[in-house]
Amino acid sequence: MAEGYLTTHVLDTARGMPAAGLAVTLYRIEGDTRVELACMLTNDDGRTDAPILPAEDFAPGTYELVFEAGAYLDASGTPPEEPRFLDLVPIRFGISDPEAHYHVPLLLSPFGYSTYRGS
């Protein structure tokens, strides 16, 4: 059994704080198909309360995290625009080491975002 796991963290860089209450969905990519594995909300620290892909489900492959940025920005009081410049933010990435901790953070603002492999 694999010992690795996947976590995420979202920071609202425009407001300088964690992005609490942001919905995140994890998919495994299988050919042309996306298979939903988990859907969670970020907590007050901008993290999910548990790994979004725990060790018991962890396996090498291609995955996609989809962050519901538009709904979060609406709920956080960011001035509305129609349509929002950023709505759903997908990040597709690969997991190659079944023993590693993968951390995929999102730094978010209304008009841009960045990500990286964290620790």
Side-chain angles (χ1 to χ4, degrees):
M1 173 182 278
E3 295 296 322
Y5 59 101
L6 172 67
T7 57
T8 189
H9 186 198
V10 186
L11 296 173
D12 182 331
T13 57
R15 297 171 61 206
M17 58 192 302
L22 192 147
V24 183
T25 304
L26 174 67
Y27 298 91
R28 181 174 172 90
I29 308 302
E30 298 176 357
D32 293 334
T33 304
R34 289 188 326 167
V35 177
E36 184 176 325
L37 300 179
C39 186
M40 298 181 171
L41 288 176
T42 57
N43 60 25
D44 288 344
D45 193 36
R47 303 172 186 274
T48 56
D49 287 330
I52 196 159
L53 184 61
E56 59 268 15
D57 299 325
F58 198 78
T62 302
Y63 294 85
E64 185 174 76
L65 284 167
V66 178
F67 298 86
E68 294 188 22
Y72 164 78
L73 293 167
D74 289 345
S76 71
T78 301
E81 59 178 351
E82 192 59 41
R84 280 222 174 264
F85 180 70
L86 293 177
D87 186 17
L88 299 178
V89 175
I91 300 173
R92 192 168 287 194
F93 59 96
I95 291 176
S96 59
D97 182 353
E99 305 303 317
H101 171 206
Y102 283 75
H103 183 67
V104 181
L106 180 70
L107 305 176
L108 177 66
S109 76
F111 299 104
Y113 66 91
S114 65
T115 190
Y116 54 94
R117 181 173 173 191
S119 58

